């Protein structure tokens, strides 16, 4: 099979610039529908008022082409590279274009330049700096495209990590989940109702990465393919909405729009857990770049594929296995 | 608080806000502002209150509304500004500066995110005759952005940057905001916390504590962690 044509660097920069604006301005439909459903059942006056104001805010953002929220959070990227895809200039050029697009979009949208040096507080006024924006990678077999996703998750509140142990079981998971939601739900610091992502297992860093990806890269209504995990997602969603707390920490029931859990094989003696709240703006947008120059935009990053969740040594793609059985 | 119908009372306030207007505010009222407001957060507070630099403008003559905010804005080549959205940042982090700031600036209204503690209201806001209005959401950046009619100034932007500069905005129907504290120092958030707290013990019933505890300042979920 001949190599697919290279994906042009200019197109990568264009796609990254566009998803920066889309993420900042356009509320994803799955999250919008989740909040609409909560607004129709919320019985707390103040919490219901907040949800109605947010619905109005998203309309205003789209109509005016201005950001939903002035706090840009910490914009970051997730790049999924098809195994057959080739990039003009290679991965170094891809990163250069993503950094350029970030700086340009910060000025053009405009987005608030949030990224500063942690000690000197120096601000380049473009959301680019040392280790910023973060770019995470994954790969996909039997594909010749690249997906560029940006997420603008809030950067201050609503996230925590804890090392639990097998003996703590589901009780331990529930307690730490409640602890985090209550701690950051008061006064609405978590900007709830949130898509709550939970990382279970891995080592400390992968536990945090998986939980954040679960919050930011899966859509409302989506369930983990493992039935046991899916059942726990449902149970935790219900538990979060029974705290008695709604938007801004006011009395109510609108806390968790959805709960997503991702797991990673972990130390035999441990069960580390992380909790992440993706906020009332839930900013995410994805572009798929094809070798023929087409770019398709969407709001479902489709990050967690069977390949990403594989637990075997060897990977046999569905295409290859069906060919073999034929 | 909410009227029996579930509708919240709506109030328009013009800056500088007068004491008698503040007196009429009740917790949970929905407020819209008209007039002038300025942003000031940690870098402005530090410069004025710790480094002893005079404010770039006579604040007492300008307005008495301080917004804890950084806008999503950019500077055009001709020196004008493009403001897209504005939302507040969490105010509890500025607690240590506010007693002096209310004195120096003459601010009577703090607009921000998440409020302060009832203790701060009683110790600092009540003696100064000031109230706290919270933004909604968070945050309604596009709605608040629509309320900004003109950027009058962006003081100290060259060295503090866009996020920390002192912006002076002309606003019209700027909101929605909720009355979080009144002139008596009551807090809408703490009133809600007290109700939510009544149900917390029930949630933890039957869930055994984890095998390994953590050092921490509190294990009482009725406590808040701010302040």
């Amino acid at each position: 099979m001949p190599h697919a044509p290279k994906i042009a660097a200019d197109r990568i920069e264009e796609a990254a610039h566009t998803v920066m604006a889309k993420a900042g301005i356009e509320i994803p439909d799955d999250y919008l529908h989740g909040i609409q459903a909560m607004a129709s059942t919320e019985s707390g006056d103040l919490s219901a008022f907040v949800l109605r104001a947010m619905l109005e805010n998203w309309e205003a953002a789209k109509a005016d082409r201005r950001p939903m929220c002035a706090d840009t959070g910490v914009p970051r990227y997730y790049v999924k590279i098809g195994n057959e895809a080739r990039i003009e200039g290679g991965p170094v050029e891809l990163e250069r274009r993503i950094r350029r697009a970030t700086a340009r979009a910060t000025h053009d949208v405009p987005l608030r330049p949030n990224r500063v040096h942690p000690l000197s507080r120096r601000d380049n006024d473009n959301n680019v700096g040392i280790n910023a924006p973060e770019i995470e990678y994954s790969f996909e077999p039997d594909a010749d495209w690249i997906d560029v996703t940006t997420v603008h998750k809030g950067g201050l509140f609503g996230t925590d990590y804890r090392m639990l142990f097998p003996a703590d079981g589901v009780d331990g998971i529930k307690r730490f989940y409640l602890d985090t939601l209550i701690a950051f739900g008061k006064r609405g610091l978590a900007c709830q109702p949130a898509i709550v992502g939970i990382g279970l297992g891995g080592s400390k860093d992968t536990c945090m990465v998986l939980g954040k990806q679960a919050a930011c890269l899966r859509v409302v209504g989506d369930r983990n393919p493992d039935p046991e995990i899916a059942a726990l997602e449902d149970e935790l969603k219900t538990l979060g909405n029974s705290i008695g707390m709604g938007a801004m920490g006011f009395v109510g029931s609108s806390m968790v729009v959805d709960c997503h859990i991702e797991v990673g094989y972990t130390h035999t003696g441990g069960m580390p857990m992380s909790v992440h709240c993706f906020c009332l703006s839930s900013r995410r947008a994805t572009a798929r770049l094809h070798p023929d120059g087409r770019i398709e935009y969407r709001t479902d990053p489709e990050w967690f594929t069977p390949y990403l969740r594989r637990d075997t040594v060897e990977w046999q793609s569905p295409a290859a296995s069906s060919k073999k059985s034929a | 608080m909410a009227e029996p119908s579930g509708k919240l009372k709506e109030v328009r306030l013009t800056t500088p806000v007068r004491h008698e207007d503040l007196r009429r505010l009740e917790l949970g009222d929905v407020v819209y502002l008209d007039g002038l407001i300025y942003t000031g957060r940690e870098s402005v507070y530090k410069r004025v209150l710790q480094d002893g630099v005079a404010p770039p403008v006579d604040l007492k003559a300008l307005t008495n509304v301080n917004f804890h905010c950084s806008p999503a804005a950019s500077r055009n080549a001709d020196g004008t500004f493009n403001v897209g959205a504005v939302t507040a940042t969490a105010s509890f982090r500025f607690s240590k500066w506010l007693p002096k700031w209310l004195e120096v600036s003459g601010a009577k209204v703090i607009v921000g995110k998440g409020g302060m503690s009832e203790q701060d209201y009683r110790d600092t806001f009540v003696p100064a005759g000031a109230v706290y209005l919270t933004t909604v959401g968070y945050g309604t950046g596009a709605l608040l952005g629509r309320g900004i009619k003109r950027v009058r100034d962006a003081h100290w932007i060259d060295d503090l940057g866009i996020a920390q500069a002192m912006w002076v905005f002309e606003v019209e129907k700027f909101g929605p905001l909720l009355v979080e504290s009144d002139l008596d120092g009551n807090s809408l958030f703490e009133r809600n916390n007290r109700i939510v707290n009544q149900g917390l013990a029930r949630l933890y019933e039957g869930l055994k504590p984890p095998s390994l505890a953590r050092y921490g300042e509190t294990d009482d979920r009725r406590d808040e962690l701010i302040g």
Side-chain angles (χ1 to χ4, degrees):
Chain A
M1 189 174 115
H3 278 307
K6 287 186 177 176
I7 293 169
D10 280 347
R11 297 294 275 165
I12 295 171
E13 185 172 333
E14 179 194 332
H17 186 272
T18 302
V19 291
M20 281 291 282
K22 281 180 168 289
I25 294 169
E26 299 168 14
I27 194 74
D29 277 342
D30 59 286
Y31 185 79
L32 171 67
H33 296 147
I35 295 295
Q36 282 169 336
M38 287 189 129
S40 66
T41 56
E42 176 58 85
S43 58
D45 289 343
L46 288 161
S47 180
F49 171 79
V50 175
L51 297 183
R52 287 196 303 272
M54 290 311 299
L55 292 169
E56 202 184 322
N57 184 62
W58 296 328
E59 288 297 317
K62 271 187 225 170
D64 297 2
R65 301 305 296 168
R66 54 169 100 229
M68 294 178 266
C69 180
D71 184 338
T72 315
V74 277
R76 57 161 52 219
Y77 292 85
Y78 296 90
V79 176
K80 189 188 287 288
I81 302 175
N83 196 44
E84 315 305 327
R86 294 190 306 150
I87 300 163
E88 180 197 0
V92 169
E93 185 64 15
L94 176 128
E95 295 203 326
R96 178 184 295 123
R97 296 310 185 112
I98 283 179
R99 286 169 82 86
R100 272 194 206 159
T102 305
R104 281 178 44 224
T106 297
H107 178 273
D108 297 346
V109 176
L111 300 168
R112 191 172 96 195
N114 250 19
R115 295 281 201 155
V116 303
H117 189 283
L119 287 174
S120 72
R121 314 308 294 178
R122 177 189 158 81
D123 190 339
N124 291 335
D125 271 350
N126 61 9
N127 283 312
V128 176
I130 300 171
N131 282 311
E134 297 86 348
I135 307 175
E136 288 180 47
Y137 297 93
S138 72
F139 305 96
E140 190 64 16
D142 306 312
D144 60 3
W145 40 255
I146 46 179
D147 275 356
V148 176
T149 296
T150 188
V151 163
H152 304 178
K153 188 186 176 299
L156 298 178
F157 309 112
T159 296
D160 206 356
Y161 165 88
R162 182 163 189 159
M163 176 57 92
L164 299 171
F165 299 92
D168 295 326
V170 173
D171 275 11
I173 292 172
K174 286 183 182 168
R175 280 184 73 101
F176 184 55
Y177 171 76
L178 286 170
D179 282 354
T180 309
L181 292 187
I182 293 167
F184 294 108
K186 290 188 178 187
R187 296 171 189 256
L189 292 182
C191 293
Q192 72 266 18
I195 302 176
V196 180
I198 293 176
L200 270 184
S203 47
K204 181 170 186 175
D205 55 346
T206 41
C207 182
M208 290 297 288
V209 165
L210 285 171
K212 186 163 203 153
Q213 293 181 352
C216 301
L217 299 177
R218 287 177 51 191
V219 299
V220 173
D222 166 42
R223 282 290 163 267
N224 192 293
D226 179 330
E228 195 185 351
I229 298 172
L232 188 58
E233 290 177 339
D234 281 331
E235 191 178 356
L236 291 183
K237 177 183 171 183
T238 304
L239 180 64
N241 288 328
S242 69
I243 292 173
M245 198 186 267
M248 289 177 74
F250 294 137
V251 172
S253 58
S254 306
M255 190 74 197
V256 181
V257 184
D258 210 347
C259 177
H260 296 144
I261 303 173
E262 290 299 326
V263 301
Y265 275 37
T266 192
H267 189 288
T268 184
M271 187 177 64
M273 170 169 173
S274 70
V275 181
H276 309 251
C277 294
F278 199 22
C279 67
L280 263 169
S281 294
S282 284
R283 293 165 290 197
R284 62 168 132 76
T286 299
R288 175 162 294 179
L289 292 112
H290 296 278
D292 62 8
R294 278 178 303 129
I295 306 178
E296 296 166 312
Y297 294 97
R298 61 182 200 267
T299 54
D300 181 352
E302 299 170 21
W303 181 256
F304 287 100
T305 60
Y307 178 73
L308 210 63
R309 288 181 175 128
R310 69 198 183 280
D311 79 342
T312 52
V313 174
E314 301 295 333
W315 169 257
Q316 194 166 42
S317 69
S321 63
S322 63
K323 215 178 283 170
K324 203 173 273 180
S325 63
Chain B
M1 245 347 222
E3 291 167 5
S5 66
K7 293 207 81 160
L8 307 177
K9 192 172 76 187
E10 213 173 283
V11 183
R12 290 282 283 262
L13 291 180
T14 303
T15 72
V17 182
R18 298 175 308 167
H19 183 78
E20 51 269 38
D21 293 332
L22 296 182
R23 177 51 68 193
R24 278 197 289 274
L25 295 180
E26 293 182 86
L27 298 190
D29 285 352
V30 180
V31 176
Y32 292 89
L33 291 172
D34 300 279
L36 277 182
I37 63 175
Y38 65 89
T39 69
R41 50 183 297 177
E42 57 267 57
S43 294
V44 167
Y45 292 156
K46 184 174 174 297
R47 179 168 289 196
V48 174
L49 302 176
Q50 282 170 236
D51 304 344
V53 178
V57 57
D58 181 357
L59 290 173
K60 283 182 178 163
L62 189 72
T63 180
N64 55 9
V65 181
N66 174 194
F67 185 20
H68 288 160
C69 156
S70 310
S74 59
R75 191 168 7 189
N76 302 317
D78 62 1
T80 59
F81 297 99
N82 178 19
V83 176
V86 292
T87 35
T89 195
S91 301
F92 73 87
R93 296 171 289 156
F94 313 137
S95 172
K96 72 166 182 176
W97 285 301
L98 276 188
K100 192 78 180 152
W101 183 255
L102 294 183
E103 189 186 315
V104 166
S105 68
K108 300 295 179 199
V109 175
I110 298 289
V111 179
K113 171 181 174 180
M116 321 281 294
S117 69
E118 220 159 50
Q119 193 69 45
D120 280 332
Y121 295 139
R122 298 210 163 127
D123 294 348
T124 305
F125 281 61
V126 171
V131 304
Y132 187 101
L133 306 179
T134 180
T135 53
V136 170
Y138 312 89
T140 55
L143 293 179
L144 295 175
R146 276 184 174 178
I148 292 178
K149 293 300 154 193
R150 201 171 81 85
V151 176
R152 182 176 285 196
D153 271 308
H155 299 291
W156 293 339
I157 190 169
D158 288 331
D159 47 338
L160 294 187
I162 286 170
Q164 295 281 342
M166 180 188 275
W167 295 80
V168 182
F169 296 131
E170 293 175 15
V171 300
E172 188 182 306
K173 203 173 188 237
F174 180 79
L177 310 169
L178 287 170
V179 177
E180 139 68 1
S181 83
D182 59 21
L183 283 178
D184 300 320
N186 298 301
S187 157
L188 180 67
F189 284 123
E190 295 205 17
R191 181 191 281 182
N192 274 265
N193 281 347
R194 285 190 279 271
I195 300 169
V196 171
N197 283 347
Q198 291 168 6
L200 293 184
R202 168 187 54 86
L203 292 167
Y204 286 85
E205 265 170 28
L207 299 179
K208 63 181 187 315
S211 348
L212 181 67
R214 295 203 292 194
Y215 288 124
E217 290 76 22
T218 179
D219 278 324
D220 186 344
R221 274 81 188 179
R222 292 171 301 177
D223 288 348
E224 285 198 86
L225 303 177
I226 68 167

